[in-house]
Amino acid sequence: MSLTSAYQHKLAEKLTILNNRGQGVLIRMYNIKKVSRKGNPPYLLYFTLIKSFYLAFFVLCFSQQHLGPVHREKSEIVRFLTSYYQSFVDVMEFRVSLFNSVNHYFDNLNFDFTRSYLDLIVTYTSVILLLSRIEDRRVLIGMYNCAHEMLHGHGDPSFARLGQMVLEYDHPLKKLTEEFGPHTKAVSGALLSLHFLFVRRNQGAEQWRNAQLLSLLSTPPAMINPANSETMACEYLSVEVMERWIIIGFLLCHGCLNSNSHCQKLWKLSLQGSLYVTLIREDVLQVHKVTEDLFSSLKGYGKRVADIKESKEYVIANSGQFHSQRRQFLRVAVKELETVLTDEPGLLGPKALFAFMALSFIRDEVTWLVRHTENVTKTKTPEDYADSNIAELLFLLEEIRALVRRHIKVIQQYHLQYLARFDALVLSDVIQNLSVCPEEESVIMSSFVSTLSSLNLKQVDSGEKFEFSGLRLDWFRLQAYTSVAKAPLHLHENPDLAKVMNLIVFHSQMLDSVEKVLVETSDLSTFCFHLRTFEKMFAMTLEEPTMLRYAIAFPLICTHFVHCTHEMCPEEYPHLKNHGLHHCNSFLEELAKQTSNCILEICAEQRNLSEQLLPKHCATTISKAKNKKTMKQRQAPRKGEPERDKPGAESHRKNRSLVTNMDKLHQHLMELALTMNHVHTFSVFEHTIFPSEYLSSHLEARLNRAIVCLAGYNTTTQEILRPSELLAGVKAYIGFIQSLAQFLGADVSRVIRNALLQQTQPLDSFGEQTITTLYTNWYLESLLRQASSGTIVLSPAMQAFISLPREGEQNFSAEEFSDISEMRALAELLGPYGMKFLSENLMWHVTSQIVELKKLVVENMDTLVQIRSNFSKPDLMASLLPQLTGKHLVLWSAGTMGAALDQGVFSSHCPFLMGPIECLKEFVTPDTDIKVTLSVFELASAAGVDCDIDPALVAAIANLKADNSSPEEEYKVACLLLIFLAVSLPLLATDPSSFYSIEKDGYNNNIHCLTKAIIQVSAALFTLYNKNIETHLKEFLVVASVSLLQLGQETDKLKTRNRESISLLMRLVVEESSFLTLDMLESCFPYVLLRNAYREVSRAFHLSRVTANTY
């Protein structure tokens, strides 16, 4: 080829365009093959109907009867198959004149030209091989043409040539070897230029170690010297790429193997590296089998077949161990490199080449392992194709990539000065020393010098974007011009020019194409197509404790998947995106799950340690200490009673080598925390990923479940943990999680806040029950039901429910769940929302009793009206009282409202708020608007301040649906309800349990709760009806006093057995209400009666104590 021809053919531009288009066509073929293999398109179902036509392939006359379905769907078939058909047409058009460079010279000096040429050959071969692997290629082409002819009246113009091409490549390698036979010299020359590099890159780990490869510390004086090479781009060229060039190149141009010993040595060396080479993604070429099958069919290749078999045996026996040792070396060497560069990032300037070499070496070893793990299914040494430490290599690869990106300005500043102050001067000298320099080449090289000389550091400081693609393309053109046989300026005769320009190309890439070089040297998007292997590697990493800290590399690798997309195949972008996001999510979910599990296990251990400090466990210690003082001889411990260790005993160790379960958990958590906290954020297909959010989500869910499990609620036995013990456990959990804030990278305060907030709601975010629901159900359904049955009593003196001993029944200690400390713990656990939920459920029980009482009032309406008018007439009352039905009311059940909480919890948490709330409450007067009053009382009651009117009860009663009754009738019922209660009080004297206990400051049948029910319900009802509360309570006081005074005239001792105790209820009513005073009581119930009642009750109590002690 003449120089003029080289200029005119624009080989540099053609190779660039054809390589890019060839990759797109190759991906299109892969996509069609994948679609055809996974599930045929719908219209391929017609294949059986027109099978004979496609087998003939060019028969133009066929039965219309068989093609009826195609005719009906011709438009849809054409629309659906157009992209597939056009892809095959692209393959046909891709068969351009690839061999115009047959008279060119190829060497590592014209690296870009040689590489593009070899890439084009391999891409073309891969396209043809993939085309032959599409089983339905004839179906797709034939059906499209058939439908096209039916739709337009003529077949597609490309069909005949396309069909001929498909037939020719039924045996692709045979046809390809025929095509490439005349070009053996050019191809073999290009391949032989790789010999020195390929031999060097296939050295073993021991040779690398002896050469101290990638070490910056081996020669400290040369640490800041620039890392240069005569073939810069070759230093990080992929071994897999070179293997593919050599194997496919000699497969197509095999004639030189028998005639050229150098070709034969290079070929045999390539056969000893891998069992498989990649064509595209997961499609591979089984090297030895394909080569052996081809050479076996050729004459004179018996020795080559023997070489293939020998090489295969060598690979099977040695390659696994060979690559395993290299991976082991790289783990150490790259770790050292990464540590040095992290400590001194300025070294990234002169030693940037080392970083890209390290990335390339790791990528080669990982891809070799992946493709062999995926394809080698039966082997005697499976350990050669599995590496439990692969995560560390992946992690180091990501670390080097991150270092380069983080210190991009350091790299740019260094190489900009290198280009302007060294490369430009050296290039100028080289150009001046050229013996021959044609005008075209002179113009190009002069532009190089001027471009480089104009660079200055201000461009980096100002953030200017550099663009040297034009310079590199000009150098590519120059390589094409100077590699022609008849060119006046031969590149191989001027190696200094090539060396300088190759160095300049690398330095220019450090300014504008660092990300591109990173992709070239470290892209692991192959994992997107080896997902099963990817998942297995991740699973192995999780099983290896020392590798957990590197597990974050697997989600980070998912960021590479975007690099395997191509503009010529946009339809696969959503699938690749789904793969990347799905696996990134699954990896992070699993890591977050394991981390949260480990955290919660340690929390459980911490809770066990905290439980040892609970007051209930010190009783044994106190008892033993007391017995030591009172007993001369220490009694031997009973058999079967284990000796309890004192808290803190777990920290005593005789030997530090003893590893406890807590030590193991902390070590495990440290490894997981390192991986979860390694990166704050990264992107996968335009999606921003925050690893800490995965951990926060899992930790929040696990903490929610753990808190509920701590409560230990048993629906069968109705057992539940005491609130104070649960609070201590929750505090132990929270305390440990808070201590991890700086290590996890997650917002643990938000996690704790959200989890505790969810526990104050009836259901959490997953629809599961919370401790609010559990404790609400237990207190209302279990505790209060026992109170209603008389099993437990509310003791005002102890401010708690207490259990009454019953013979033959399991003793249940109600005070352990209802004293002040437990109520405070419960309030702290449930929070304001939870307590409001508890209050609302409590109000539901109260209002249900009110509804029943109203029904009784309505039933006795007429009698109660007469009693209200004639309560002071004993004779008339004697006849009216027997007419009342349902006297034995269960009003004391409403006394559950008396278990109100004080303000201790709120005061300890927010003391600065209590003053303003109490002050605001004092400004409320009877004349204040009722809405304002209820609002202030709602705020005060939420803070635990006692209020005259319960706003929750007012709201609950207001929500009751009246049966078409007017407000006046409802008001009348409320008035009569108080009358009903007042006249029914004497009946309580007949109950033996109505005795007032000084010790409990209450009654064994809980009738002292009746006073709170009367006052609170009255206040709520008359507030709702906007009536004067004090007036109606006075009326109740008068009627009740008259009824109890009339009890003094009763002669039946059974009816008056506890008259004094019942009389004390009058004082309790006054003490409970802020609307009543003792003066009001004195006016209708003499205080002397109360004094006598107290004396009698006290005398009877002490007599019973003396009698009990006597017996």
Side-chain angles (χ1 to χ4, degrees):
M1 180 182 292
S2 65
L3 181 61
T4 305
S5 178
Y7 291 157
Q8 292 175 349
H9 280 89
K10 299 185 182 297
L11 289 178
E13 292 86 342
K14 284 186 177 180
L15 285 172
T16 303
I17 295 170
L18 284 174
N19 271 311
N20 181 61
R21 183 166 181 80
Q23 279 298 313
V25 172
L26 184 57
I27 291 175
R28 294 290 308 169
M29 290 299 100
Y30 167 85
N31 190 51
I32 294 174
K33 175 177 174 289
K34 187 176 180 181
V35 171
S36 177
R37 181 179 58 195
K38 283 192 172 182
N40 290 338
Y43 298 107
L44 292 184
L45 297 175
Y46 302 125
F47 170 61
T48 55
L49 299 176
I50 49 177
K51 183 177 180 180
S52 59
F53 166 69
Y54 294 123
L55 290 176
F57 211 82
F58 291 111
V59 177
L60 300 179
C61 299
F62 43 84
S63 172
Q64 292 295 329
Q65 180 182 359
H66 290 169
L67 298 179
V70 178
H71 189 274
R72 288 193 298 270
E73 302 290 344
K74 56 183 180 294
S75 299
E76 287 298 310
I77 292 175
V78 169
R79 183 185 64 82
F80 187 85
L81 296 183
T82 296
S83 62
Y84 297 137
Y85 184 83
Q86 291 302 323
S87 297
F88 291 120
V89 173
D90 288 341
V91 174
M92 182 179 64
E93 293 177 350
F94 186 57
R95 296 178 66 197
V96 295
S97 179
L98 303 176
F99 314 108
N100 288 337
S101 57
V102 70
N103 293 323
H104 281 66
Y105 171 78
F106 295 103
D107 196 357
N108 50 45
L109 295 176
N110 55 357
F111 172 79
D112 299 314
F113 190 59
T114 303
R115 177 175 184 169
S116 296
Y117 176 64
L118 292 175
D119 277 341
L120 188 58
I121 293 174
V122 169
T123 301
Y124 173 69
T125 305
S126 301
V127 168
I128 298 303
L129 290 176
L130 238 66
L131 173 65
S132 66
R133 294 182 182 184
I134 301 174
E135 297 178 357
D136 298 323
R137 58 188 180 279
R138 297 187 180 188
V139 178
L140 291 166
I141 295 170
M143 183 175 289
Y144 175 84
N145 186 67
C146 178
H148 186 279
E149 184 171 353
M150 292 177 178
L151 189 64
H152 300 286
H154 57 84
D156 186 79
S158 305
F159 176 68
R161 291 187 298 123
L162 188 57
Q164 184 63 39
M165 183 192 73
V166 170
L167 289 176
E168 287 177 355
Y169 287 107
D170 269 350
H171 302 286
L173 286 177
K174 183 178 179 181
K175 178 65 176 176
L176 287 170
T177 54
E178 293 176 1
E179 290 181 342
F180 278 87
H183 314 295
T184 301
K185 182 180 178 181
V187 175
S188 61
L191 296 177
L192 284 174
S193 66
L194 299 171
H195 190 276
F196 85 100
L197 178 63
F198 191 68
V199 171
R200 189 172 49 139
R201 292 292 296 276
N202 275 279
Q203 292 176 346
E206 193 60 34
Q207 292 172 292
W208 280 359
R209 193 171 289 109
N210 294 334
Q212 293 187 317
L213 187 69
L214 300 178
S215 176
L216 298 179
L217 304 178
S218 58
T219 53
M223 186 177 291
I224 61 173
N225 293 346
N228 288 334
S229 168
E230 294 182 357
T231 53
M232 292 291 286
C234 294
E235 300 303 324
Y236 53 82
L237 181 62
S238 171
V239 173
E240 182 188 3
V241 170
M242 288 191 284
E243 278 185 348
R244 190 159 54 238
W245 288 345
I246 296 169
I247 290 170
I248 293 179
F250 285 131
L251 192 64
L252 302 180
C253 304
H254 49 74
C256 60
L257 295 177
N258 289 331
S259 59
N260 191 322
S261 61
H262 296 291
C263 292
Q264 190 180 129
K265 289 180 182 178
L266 181 60
W267 174 69
K268 289 176 67 175
L269 182 60
S270 67
L271 289 178
Q272 293 174 0
S274 302
L275 292 169
Y276 300 89
V277 294
T278 304
L279 293 177
I280 176 70
R281 296 173 176 176
E282 78 269 27
D283 272 284
V284 295
L285 186 68
Q286 197 168 349
V287 176
H288 302 85
K289 182 180 182 303
V290 171
T291 310
E292 184 180 350
D293 290 345
L294 177 63
F295 287 5
S296 298
S297 63
L298 302 175
K299 292 181 180 181
Y301 281 82
K303 291 184 179 181
R304 302 292 78 79
V305 172
D307 291 338
I308 294 169
K309 292 179 179 179
E310 181 184 347
S311 298
K312 182 177 182 181
E313 292 174 0
Y314 179 87
V315 172
I316 294 173
N318 300 295
S319 66
Q321 189 67 20
F322 175 82
H323 286 278
S324 177
Q325 292 173 356
R326 298 221 304 188
R327 291 195 299 273
Q328 187 175 356
F329 167 81
L330 286 173
R331 276 192 286 271
V332 177
V334 179
K335 178 63 177 177
E336 177 191 301
L337 177 66
E338 184 267 335
T339 303
V340 173
L341 292 179
T342 301
D343 187 59
E344 295 292 341
L347 290 175
L348 274 171
K351 301 298 183 182
L353 181 62
F354 276 46
F356 294 115
M357 287 171 61
L359 293 175
S360 180
F361 292 168
I362 292 175
R363 191 268 315 277
D364 284 337
E365 293 305 314
V366 171
T367 54
W368 184 95
L369 181 64
V370 168
R371 67 178 183 270
H372 284 79
T373 302
E374 188 81 12
N375 294 286
V376 178
T377 55
K378 295 181 180 180
T379 177
K380 295 181 181 179
T381 56
E383 65 277 4
D384 290 343
Y385 304 103
D387 188 351
S388 58
N389 298 324
I390 193 65
E392 185 174 1
L393 269 184
L394 298 178
F395 181 82
L396 290 172
L397 179 136
E398 289 297 330
E399 282 292 274
I400 298 293
R401 285 165 59 96
L403 268 175
V404 172
R405 289 190 177 114
R406 191 180 311 128
H407 303 291
I408 185 70
K409 280 201 171 184
V410 173
I411 297 173
Q412 287 182 331
Q413 288 175 348
Y414 181 86
H415 287 93
L416 183 138
Q417 296 179 78
Y418 206 121
L419 285 168
R421 300 178 184 178
F422 181 81
D423 289 338
L425 300 178
V426 173
L427 179 60
S428 179
D429 291 342
V430 169
I431 294 173
Q432 291 176 7
N433 293 330
L434 290 176
S435 58
V436 178
C437 188
E439 182 180 356
E440 184 76 19
E441 285 81 346
S442 177
V443 171
I444 293 176
M445 288 187 284
S446 299
S447 69
F448 292 163
V449 175
S450 61
T451 300
L452 300 180
S453 301
S454 63
L455 296 174
N456 61 80
L457 279 175
K458 292 182 179 179
Q459 293 174 278
V460 177
D461 297 335
S462 63
E464 181 180 334
K465 289 186 178 181
F466 296 96
E467 180 56 60
F468 291 99
S469 58
L471 182 146
R472 290 190 289 270
L473 181 58
D474 282 342
W475 168 233
F476 194 4
R477 292 190 182 104
L478 196 59
Q479 292 176 59
Y481 300 161
T482 57
S483 299
V484 181
K486 297 181 180 180
L489 176 63
H490 288 282
L491 198 60
H492 66 277
E493 295 176 354
N494 298 277
D496 291 340
L497 175 62
K499 293 173 184 177
V500 172
M501 282 309 304
N502 286 331
L503 189 63
I504 290 173
V505 166
F506 176 77
H507 292 165
S508 69
Q509 288 177 325
M510 293 301 97
L511 289 179
D512 68 343
S513 302
V514 172
E515 189 63 35
K516 183 179 178 181
V517 178
L518 281 176
V519 173
E520 180 185 347
T521 55
S522 62
D523 177 39
L524 288 177
S525 58
T526 183
F527 277 117
C528 187
F529 310 100
H530 297 89
L531 296 175
R532 183 175 59 180
T533 302
F534 200 26
E535 292 166 357
K536 285 182 179 178
M537 287 180 174
F538 180 71
M540 283 192 297
T541 299
L542 296 183
E543 293 171 2
E544 187 68 31
T546 58
M547 289 294 109
L548 284 175
R549 64 174 61 191
Y550 307 121
I552 192 63
F554 288 90
L556 292 176
I557 293 297
C558 295
T559 62
H560 298 204
F561 291 2
V562 71
H563 301 141
C564 56
T565 59
H566 198 279
E567 58 187 7
M568 287 185 65
C569 194
E571 61 267 26
E572 70 174 3
Y573 182 87
H575 304 293
L576 299 176
K577 180 179 179 180
N578 290 338
H579 283 316
L581 291 174
H582 170 72
H583 281 80
C584 179
N585 287 334
S586 64
F587 293 149
L588 287 174
E589 290 280 356
E590 185 60 32
L591 288 173
K593 179 182 176 182
Q594 291 214 10
T595 306
S596 58
N597 287 347
C598 185
I599 291 173
L600 267 297
E601 286 182 29
I602 299 178
C603 286
E605 293 284 345
Q606 293 286 353
R607 185 252 180 181
N608 292 337
L609 297 177
S610 173
E611 188 182 15
Q612 296 177 16
L613 300 175
L614 291 177
K616 67 178 183 180
H617 293 307
C618 69
T620 306
T621 305
I622 295 174
S623 177
K624 288 181 179 180
K626 185 177 180 181
N627 290 337
K628 282 183 180 180
K629 296 179 180 179
T630 57
M631 299 176 64
K632 294 182 179 180
Q633 296 181 353
R634 184 181 179 186
Q635 297 180 352
R638 296 178 182 177
K639 293 183 178 180
E641 291 185 0
E643 192 72 20
R644 179 183 291 273
D645 292 332
K646 291 184 178 180
E650 70 282 346
S651 299
H652 298 162
R653 304 189 207 187
K654 296 181 180 179
N655 190 341
R656 190 62 189 87
S657 62
L658 297 176
V659 180
T660 65
N661 184 49
M662 186 73 89
D663 293 333
K664 295 177 182 177
L665 289 173
H666 275 90
Q667 179 68 23
H668 191 64
L669 178 59
M670 182 192 73
E671 300 289 335
L672 289 168
L674 284 173
T675 197
M676 290 303 296
N677 197 27
H678 180 67
V679 292
H680 178 256
T681 179
F682 59 94
S683 297
V684 178
F685 284 92
E686 299 96 28
H687 287 255
T688 303
I689 307 296
F690 292 85
S692 59
E693 290 302 314
Y694 288 82
L695 178 57
S696 298
S697 177
H698 274 271
L699 189 56
E700 182 181 318
R702 280 303 312 275
L703 183 58
N704 269 318
R705 291 197 294 270
I707 292 174
V708 173
C709 289
L710 282 178
Y713 182 60
N714 190 320
T715 54
T716 304
T717 61
Q718 291 295 305
E719 294 178 352
I720 199 168
L721 196 67
R722 293 170 61 182
S724 60
E725 294 181 13
L726 176 60
L727 181 61
V730 170
K731 285 183 176 180
Y733 272 62
I734 292 173
F736 178 72
I737 293 175
Q738 284 177 330
S739 69
L740 300 176
Q742 58 182 330
F743 305 108
L744 293 179
D747 188 354
V748 295
S749 298
R750 189 190 66 185
V751 170
I752 294 170
R753 187 167 59 250
N754 290 348
L756 294 181
L757 183 60
Q758 289 184 48
Q759 291 303 312
T760 67
Q761 305 299 318
L763 299 175
D764 62 17
S765 58
F766 295 94
E768 301 292 335
Q769 286 188 335
T770 61
I771 57 173
T772 293
T773 302
L774 297 182
Y775 277 99
T776 297
N777 292 340
W778 190 86
Y779 273 97
L780 297 184
E781 300 296 333
S782 181
L783 190 68
L784 290 186
R785 284 189 184 278
Q786 293 187 58
S788 64
S789 63
T791 307
I792 60 177
V793 177
L794 178 63
S795 171
M798 299 181 63
Q799 296 187 2
F801 284 97
I802 60 175
S803 298
L804 298 178
R806 297 290 180 91
E807 294 183 3
E809 294 184 9
Q810 185 177 2
N811 189 20
F812 167 72
S813 182
E815 52 270 30
E816 292 184 358
F817 290 86
S818 58
D819 63 11
I820 291 179
S821 62
E822 297 300 328
M823 290 295 99
R824 287 179 177 175
L826 181 67
E828 192 165 353
L829 285 169
L830 303 191
Y833 292 111
M835 296 306 294
K836 182 179 181 182
F837 178 77
L838 176 63
S839 174
E840 289 173 351
N841 280 268
L842 181 63
M843 290 304 112
W844 181 87
H845 285 270
V846 173
T847 53
S848 64
Q849 295 296 328
I850 293 175
V851 171
E852 296 300 322
L853 289 177
K854 284 185 176 181
K855 291 181 180 178
L856 289 173
V857 171
V858 172
E859 291 178 5
N860 297 276
M861 178 76 75
D862 297 336
T863 306
L864 289 172
V865 170
Q866 296 182 47
I867 289 175
R868 186 182 187 188
S869 304
N870 304 290
F871 66 88
S872 59
K873 300 175 181 179
D875 299 335
L876 188 57
M877 288 290 290
S879 60
L880 291 175
L881 286 176
Q883 298 180 21
L884 291 175
T885 59
K887 295 180 184 179
H888 300 282
L889 306 173
V890 289
L891 295 178
W892 47 267
S893 62
T896 50
M897 292 181 295
L901 304 175
D902 63 17
Q903 59 205 45
V905 174
F906 196 83
S907 297
S908 62
H909 280 248
C910 305
F912 53 88
L913 287 180
M914 287 305 300
I917 292 175
E918 292 174 344
C919 181
L920 187 63
K921 176 178 175 292
E922 291 176 0
F923 278 98
V924 176
T925 63
D927 299 329
T928 306
D929 182 78
I930 189 60
K931 292 183 179 179
V932 176
T933 300
L934 291 178
S935 298
V936 174
F937 282 175
E938 184 175 7
L939 173 64
S941 60
V945 179
D946 291 331
C947 299
D948 299 335
I949 304 170
D950 189 340
L953 185 58
V954 173
I957 296 175
N959 291 331
L960 292 177
K961 294 182 179 179
D963 299 332
N964 298 324
S965 54
S966 62
E968 291 76 12
E969 293 177 352
E970 289 292 318
Y971 168 64
K972 182 179 179 181
V973 170
C975 295
L976 294 179
L977 174 58
L978 286 182
I979 300 299
F980 204 167
L981 291 170
V983 298
S984 300
L985 288 179
L987 294 176
L988 297 174
T990 61
D991 189 349
S993 300
S994 296
F995 179 75
Y996 181 79
S997 171
I998 296 177
E999 186 179 30
K1000 298 184 182 69
D1001 192 21
Y1003 302 80
N1004 285 346
N1005 58 357
N1006 285 322
I1007 61 173
H1008 52 281
C1009 298
L1010 183 61
T1011 59
K1012 180 173 275 295
I1014 292 170
I1015 298 304
Q1016 292 292 344
V1017 171
S1018 300
L1021 286 172
F1022 296 118
T1023 297
L1024 194 62
Y1025 304 138
N1026 200 20
K1027 301 297 181 180
N1028 189 279
I1029 301 172
E1030 181 180 334
T1031 302
H1032 292 87
L1033 286 178
K1034 284 182 180 179
E1035 182 183 14
F1036 166 79
L1037 203 61
V1038 171
V1039 177
S1041 299
V1042 171
S1043 299
L1044 291 177
L1045 291 173
Q1046 290 175 356
L1047 190 62
Q1049 302 175 3
E1050 184 64 54
T1051 57
D1052 190 347
K1053 293 184 178 180
L1054 291 177
K1055 293 182 178 180
T1056 61
R1057 63 192 305 177
N1058 288 316
R1059 182 182 63 185
E1060 289 79 8
S1061 294
I1062 299 304
S1063 298
L1064 296 180
L1065 284 175
M1066 299 303 295
R1067 181 179 176 85
L1068 294 180
V1069 169
V1070 175
E1071 289 177 348
E1072 185 65 38
S1073 174
S1074 61
F1075 301 99
L1076 300 176
T1077 63
L1078 287 177
D1079 292 337
M1080 296 179 186
L1081 179 62
E1082 178 68 23
S1083 64
C1084 55
F1085 195 86
Y1087 188 77
V1088 66
L1089 296 179
L1090 292 176
R1091 186 171 63 248
N1092 292 336
Y1094 272 117
R1095 184 177 62 251
E1096 290 297 323
V1097 168
S1098 179
R1099 185 175 65 83
F1101 174 75
H1102 288 295
L1103 285 175
S1104 63
R1105 292 287 295 272
V1106 171
T1107 304
N1109 292 334
T1110 301
Y1111 285 102

